[in-house]
Each structure stands twice: as C-alpha cells, then as structure tokens.
Amino acid sequence: MGCCSGRCTLAFICGMQLVSVLERQVIDFLGYQWAPILTNFLHIIIVILGLFGTIQFRPRYVTGYAAWLVVWMTWNVFIICFYLEVGDLSRALIGFGLDKEEKF
C-alpha cells in the first residue's frame, strides 16, 4: 500500500462530495424544493470542474473550487445555526425585531 498524494486525496474528496450532493439532490426533487435543487446543481458543476482541474493539473479550476468550497461551507454552517436557533439568529432574520404576535 502506497501513500496517497495530495492530488489523489483531493480527487477522493471531490468524488465523495459529488456522491453526497447527488443524494441530496434526489431528496430535494422528492420534496419539490426548487431553490436547493438549483444550488445543488451549481455545486455539482463546480465539483466536477474541481475534479477536472485536479486530474488535468489546472490550478485555476482548483483555486475556484477551493473558493467555492469556503462559500459552500460557510452557507451550510449558517443554515445549521439558523435551524438550531443558535442565539437570536432566527428571530433577527425572520422577525426583523417584531414581537411574535406581530409576525404573520
């Protein structure tokens, strides 16, 4: 067994991301959630470009993939914190400072 290079590791990570986002895409199609379907489709395209850049030694594609990955992870952390109601995040974004009785 040989040691895996950084290129091989990045290709493995891209492959695993592709599998997980395709699974999530199927679930979103079942629920007719169109905004996540579109963002997942964009993520699939960028992961494929990152995989292509890794295999073909295209640093520009890998850099774009890395930048997108930071944005994607930040968005996912925000969504997790929003749904877990960490702090006053959900009240600040949804209620805009209104009382519960004033929300519709």
Side-chain angles (χ1 to χ4, degrees):
M1 307 262 347
C3 185
C4 193
S5 68
R7 202 171 135 227
C8 180
T9 304
L10 187 58
F12 176 75
I13 290 171
C14 286
M16 293 306 295
Q17 274 191 336
L18 201 55
V19 168
S20 69
V21 79
L22 287 173
E23 290 173 355
R24 187 171 52 220
Q25 187 81 331
V26 168
I27 303 254
D28 288 342
F29 268 122
L30 292 175
Y32 297 107
Q33 299 177 359
W34 298 110
I37 288 171
L38 293 175
T39 56
N40 287 340
F41 184 68
L42 179 65
H43 185 64
I44 288 169
I45 291 171
I46 293 178
V47 168
I48 290 172
L49 286 175
L51 188 59
F52 175 75
T54 301
I55 293 171
Q56 295 291 322
F57 293 112
R58 308 279 176 144
R60 190 171 285 196
Y61 287 163
V62 175
T63 305
Y65 169 71
W68 171 255
L69 193 59
V70 170
V71 170
W72 186 255
M73 293 300 294
T74 305
W75 175 250
N76 284 324
V77 167
F78 169 75
I79 293 297
I80 289 168
C81 291
F82 180 73
Y83 282 124
L84 292 178
E85 296 179 358
V86 174
D88 290 333
L89 187 61
S90 62
R91 191 179 66 172
L93 290 177
I94 299 298
F96 299 106
L98 301 173
D99 291 333
K100 286 185 177 182
E101 295 81 27
E102 296 176 2
K103 289 183 187 178
F104 43 113

